[in-house]
Amino acid sequence: SLIIFSCGLINNSDPPCQDKGLVSTDSYWEPAWYPTGEFIGFNHLPLVEITYPDGDKCSGIQHFDIDSLGFWIIHPDGSHKNRIYENWLQTPQWSPDGQWIVYVEGAQIYKMKFSGNGFETDSTMQLTFSGRNFFPSWSPLGDRIAYDSDVDSDTGLKFIWIMNSDGTSKHRISYEPDQGEHRQPSWSPNGDKIVHVRFIGSGSSAWPKNAFETTLKTQITSLSGKLTKTAAKAPPNTIIMEGIFTNISAFPPPIIV
């Protein structure tokens, strides 16, 4: 079967172009390297063709093969392209040992075992069960997963949490609701820090429609929240996004139960 999207307007006068009321979409998204570098995983919705019913100067229509939607792998040289899962995975990331993939579905975080050429779907484990949780990131040792979540957030903003790789021992490591939300964590190579993006806006929302602040800061923050370093300024009229480095060396080792 096919799914159809519009590609966007090129010219609206000669010839007259009709508004299809459709939005263009990508055919490939969210690539993720396998830890050995042997292949790359990615979400893929195969594009069959683009047609131009009003002429090639007007909006085109994308025709996709929805039956082939899913998670695919491909070798770095472009060979051995193969679908291994009949669904797309939101923000997928392989575990450092390559045995698991973590992803988001319905605002909850899951992991699924990888056999080497496909996923063992009966091994799927749900790791979070409340709130809205996104952007899971494996620690370098694969024993912990960082993510952002709105759990226990009175404002509904999301902050950085850590859990063991089996979903136990969840705890929040950042919370500054008056300073905007913290999102998209990523571990340092030695596993003692996490960098993440901070979104700050005026008023109560992290995403105000206007009046964004115009400073860009990089912070290195200890567990107590004490600011130890601030740097950089962004050009005017830009969204403020701060990179926050949180030292997690004081956290206990993961508890496996």
Side-chain angles (χ1 to χ4, degrees):
S1 62
L2 297 177
I3 186 170
I4 301 174
F5 292 90
S6 172
C7 292
L9 192 63
I10 299 175
N11 183 296
N12 198 30
S13 58
D14 185 22
C17 301
Q18 301 298 317
D19 182 5
K20 303 297 187 300
L22 301 171
V23 179
S24 62
T25 190
D26 295 325
S27 183
Y28 301 87
W29 68 99
E30 296 185 314
W33 278 100
Y34 190 68
T36 63
E38 178 184 357
F39 51 81
I40 301 164
F42 60 98
N43 294 307
H44 181 38
L45 177 59
L47 177 65
V48 178
E49 64 174 335
I50 301 176
T51 59
Y52 299 89
D54 297 323
D56 59 9
K57 291 185 178 181
C58 295
S59 175
I61 296 178
Q62 298 168 293
H63 302 260
F64 292 96
D65 180 6
I66 191 64
D67 294 332
S68 297
L69 169 67
F71 190 78
W72 296 58
I73 58 174
I74 192 171
H75 286 197
D77 63 1
S79 65
H80 298 84
K81 182 178 173 182
N82 181 39
R83 185 175 69 163
I84 61 172
Y85 188 56
E86 297 179 358
N87 199 358
W88 67 281
L89 302 177
Q90 183 178 348
T91 58
Q93 189 179 83
W94 306 95
S95 61
D97 62 8
Q99 295 185 21
W100 295 87
I101 196 164
V102 67
Y103 61 95
V104 172
E105 181 176 323
Q108 301 302 331
I109 296 173
Y110 295 78
K111 71 175 185 178
M112 183 165 49
K113 198 167 184 62
F114 181 64
S115 65
N117 54 15
F119 294 118
E120 299 176 8
T121 56
D122 59 354
S123 70
T124 302
M125 293 179 58
Q126 185 172 349
L127 302 178
T128 60
F129 297 88
S130 61
R132 297 178 60 80
N133 310 276
F134 300 97
F135 297 104
S137 174
W138 291 94
S139 67
L141 294 179
D143 54 354
R144 288 181 283 184
I145 296 171
Y147 59 102
D148 64 51
S149 176
D150 64 359
V151 169
D152 296 336
S153 174
D154 294 337
T155 61
L157 301 181
K158 298 173 184 66
F159 298 93
I160 306 303
W161 286 66
I162 291 178
M163 62 181 166
N164 292 335
S165 60
D166 63 357
T168 60
S169 191
K170 295 179 178 70
H171 51 281
R172 186 171 57 194
I173 66 168
S174 72
Y175 185 65
E176 295 176 305
D178 59 336
Q179 297 294 318
E181 62 181 358
H182 302 174
R183 305 207 62 185
Q184 302 176 29
S186 179
W187 298 77
S188 61
N190 63 4
D192 68 342
K193 295 181 178 66
I194 288 176
V195 63
H196 59 82
V197 174
R198 173 182 289 180
F199 297 98
I200 296 182
S202 61
S204 60
S205 173
W207 292 100
K209 294 182 179 179
N210 48 42
F212 281 112
E213 296 186 40
T214 59
T215 58
L216 176 64
K217 297 180 179 179
T218 299
Q219 297 182 354
I220 299 175
T221 307
S222 68
L223 288 179
S224 64
K226 181 180 179 181
L227 176 64
T228 59
K229 184 178 180 181
T230 302
K233 275 193 174 182
N237 302 320
T238 59
I239 298 173
I240 179 169
M241 296 198 305
E242 297 180 345
I244 311 298
F245 296 85
T246 300
N247 190 327
I248 62 168
S249 59
F251 282 115
I255 302 172
I256 307 299
V257 295

